[in-house]
Amino acid sequence: SHRLFRLLSSTFCLPAVTMGCGKGFVVFLNVIFLLGAGGTIGIGIYDLVGAAQVMGPRFLGIGAIAAGFIAAVFAFIGFCGAMKQSPCALCCYFVLVLLLAVFEVGVGIGAFVVHGTNVINLAQVAWQALYQGGTAFDTQQLVDIQNLGHCCGFAKTTDMAVQPCNFTIPCGGVVEGWLQTRVILIGAILVGVAAFQVVSMIVAFCLRKSIRQAEAEGQYTAV
């Protein structure tokens, strides 16, 4: 790990990344991350309780809310570490954001893979789970899908349809289209947030290095 830190330091930490510049940049980025995390949580809530609730599995919305909440906590740690110029908090922020960025990229790539090959299967599994659930809530979700999409059943108008239903097209293609949109949106958001977090992570590391150097030269006492 010590060699990794030295490699990062020599590669990314330019002389221009001073304490003042690095502090301001980390604070600015983490304010943006807090806003972005709030937006991600909002999208997740919309996916659960809004119109998207009946368009596919709930794990997309739950995953977005969880990722947004975790990103908000990490952004708060980075914000406080930069404001207090705490090497310990900045090091913690670096490690946590690195792990989060790897997770977000993995989920984002997974979303694009699902979008490309398995969305129709995912939609069918979700529809079948709701149809076989048998509860009033599950049945109402299928009714809402049929009414919103002006369709009946899944593969055919008689395939796992909630009756009465008088529409003449099946819901498989409609649900697939809705899922495609949600999966692409969430995947793109996660990959984009991860890219910005990597930038913030690097600047936070350089700020930590500047603080340690100032402390070694007796110009600053670290928190």
Side-chain angles (χ1 to χ4, degrees):
S1 60
H2 181 66
R3 290 181 179 180
L4 174 61
F5 283 134
R6 291 183 61 184
L7 176 62
L8 287 171
S9 177
S10 61
T11 303
F12 295 107
C13 295
L14 302 177
V17 184
T18 61
M19 286 178 59
C21 176
K23 174 182 175 180
F25 195 58
V26 173
V27 168
F28 172 76
L29 284 179
N30 280 287
V31 169
I32 299 299
F33 292 155
L34 283 171
L35 296 176
T40 303
I41 292 173
I43 290 173
I45 293 174
Y46 170 78
D47 217 45
L48 285 178
V49 302
Q53 181 184 11
V54 296
M55 306 306 181
R58 300 178 194 172
F59 75 85
L60 295 175
I62 294 173
I65 292 174
F69 178 78
I70 294 172
V73 172
F74 289 1
F76 182 75
I77 293 174
F79 177 84
C80 293
M83 289 297 295
K84 295 292 186 180
Q85 299 189 46
S86 170
C88 180
L90 290 171
C91 183
C92 179
Y93 172 75
F94 175 88
V95 174
L96 291 175
V97 171
L98 175 62
L99 295 175
L100 180 62
V102 171
F103 170 77
E104 288 173 340
V105 170
V107 173
I109 293 174
F112 286 117
V113 171
V114 168
H115 162 260
T117 59
N118 299 314
V119 168
I120 187 63
N121 294 331
L122 188 63
Q124 185 172 10
V125 169
W127 186 285
Q128 186 174 5
L130 290 174
Y131 186 78
Q132 294 177 349
T135 67
F137 180 76
D138 292 337
T139 301
Q140 186 59 48
Q141 288 196 87
L142 292 180
V143 170
D144 290 341
I145 293 175
Q146 292 181 158
N147 290 335
L148 288 171
H150 301 289
C151 56
C152 294
F154 189 80
K156 298 183 295 184
T157 56
T158 57
D159 177 31
M160 297 183 287
V162 178
Q163 301 296 340
C165 184
N166 300 318
F167 300 113
T168 58
I169 62 172
C171 295
V174 176
V175 175
E176 181 185 4
W178 285 332
L179 262 182
Q180 296 273 19
T181 302
R182 292 335 185 258
V183 168
I184 292 175
L185 176 63
I186 291 177
I189 289 174
L190 289 176
V191 173
V193 169
F196 280 103
Q197 285 175 334
V198 169
V199 174
S200 178
M201 177 185 73
I202 293 172
V203 177
F205 173 79
C206 296
L207 174 59
R208 176 184 179 275
K209 177 189 174 185
S210 298
I211 294 172
R212 287 303 191 193
Q213 286 180 341
E215 184 184 22
E217 295 170 359
Q219 301 175 4
Y220 179 76
T221 301
V223 178

